[in-house]
Amino acid sequence: SPEFHEGIIGIVASRLVERYHRPVLVLAENGSAFKGSARSIEGVNVTEAIATGGHLLEQFGGHAAAAGCTLPKPMLDEFRTLFVEACGRLCVAAEPPALLLEDQLDPATLDDALVEQLLHLEPFGQDNESPAFLVSQDQVREAPEVLKERHLKWRLGSGIEMLGWSLAEHLDLDTVEGYSVRVGFNEFRGIRRIQLTVQDVRTPGA
């Protein structure tokens, strides 16, 4: 998209990988070329996938989990085809991600001190994942508020907010048994509050 800023495409790629568990390459316009940032999943070398179209690129480089490239605009369609085919071959042996939870979280007992201790573990990344916790559906006593017809917001114990980005469109709340959440702060107009962010949901059989 011409609206993508090259300073955020790596972050966007990472979020898409988290959601869809597929290798992702996001491109931003940069003059007569596209600047690309790629992120991958365990077991799929994204630099190897990019290299299948290396003869079309001005430059590229990276490692198994992340890479970058510069692609002349006229080569976009041909490169896309090669990249998608390579990812298809490489993803065959990739295992679905295991969701590791630290513990069940009681939002009613969560306080600033605990969140600050968890944030001391930063920076989070591939070898240092942000801690995830379970919030069971039994702890969610009220229906969520829908924000901009796409997002969900719950108010839990002690007034703590839990946000589910882009969940309103495809989540059947009647089938949810629990939520995997990350813990952090939201600061707005100088006021800091604890906020939980939904990363995944647990449904029967999951």
Side-chain angles (χ1 to χ4, degrees):
S1 169
E3 298 179 1
F4 290 172
H5 188 283
E6 64 183 55
I8 65 165
I9 56 177
I11 298 172
V12 174
S14 295
R15 296 294 183 266
L16 291 171
V17 170
E18 289 177 3
R19 176 172 297 183
Y20 297 108
H21 191 59
R22 292 292 186 272
V24 172
L25 174 60
V26 179
L27 301 171
E29 288 193 16
N30 187 336
S32 61
F34 293 110
K35 183 173 182 180
S37 186
R39 299 293 184 271
S40 195
I41 60 177
E42 186 71 26
V44 177
N45 188 322
V46 73
T47 300
E48 182 180 332
I50 289 175
T52 61
H55 59 288
L56 304 173
L57 301 171
E58 293 180 3
Q59 59 182 6
F60 72 95
H63 51 82
C69 65
T70 303
L71 171 68
K73 288 183 178 179
M75 304 299 178
L76 175 60
D77 290 340
E78 186 177 356
F79 177 79
R80 179 193 284 119
T81 298
L82 293 173
F83 179 75
V84 170
E85 288 177 350
C87 288
R89 292 192 300 270
L90 296 169
C91 281
V92 171
E95 294 291 334
L99 185 59
L100 302 178
L101 302 177
E102 304 295 331
D103 203 347
Q104 183 161 340
L105 185 68
D106 183 356
T109 63
L110 186 62
D111 58 19
D112 287 9
L114 176 57
V115 178
E116 288 169 354
Q117 290 176 4
L118 292 172
L119 294 180
H120 279 311
L121 300 174
E122 291 181 326
F124 299 123
Q126 183 177 6
D127 296 320
N128 183 34
E129 294 290 336
S130 173
F133 298 88
L134 173 66
V135 173
S136 72
Q137 183 63 30
D138 293 340
Q139 295 170 290
V140 181
R141 296 181 175 84
E142 298 179 359
E145 175 185 355
V146 180
L147 306 177
K148 297 183 178 179
E149 300 182 355
R150 296 181 57 204
H151 317 300
L152 298 178
K153 180 173 73 173
W154 296 261
R155 293 193 183 276
L156 307 179
S158 302
I160 291 174
E161 290 183 350
M162 183 172 76
L163 290 178
W165 300 112
S166 300
L167 287 183
E169 299 172 306
H170 56 79
L171 182 62
D172 182 358
L173 294 172
D174 292 334
T175 65
V176 175
E177 296 180 346
Y179 305 86
S180 167
V181 302
R182 308 285 189 191
V183 179
F185 289 112
N186 176 41
E187 189 164 337
F188 182 68
R189 294 180 179 176
I191 299 176
R192 188 179 73 167
R193 294 188 175 91
I194 297 174
Q195 189 175 82
L196 309 181
T197 304
V198 176
Q199 301 296 308
D200 205 343
V201 297
R202 174 181 287 177
T203 54

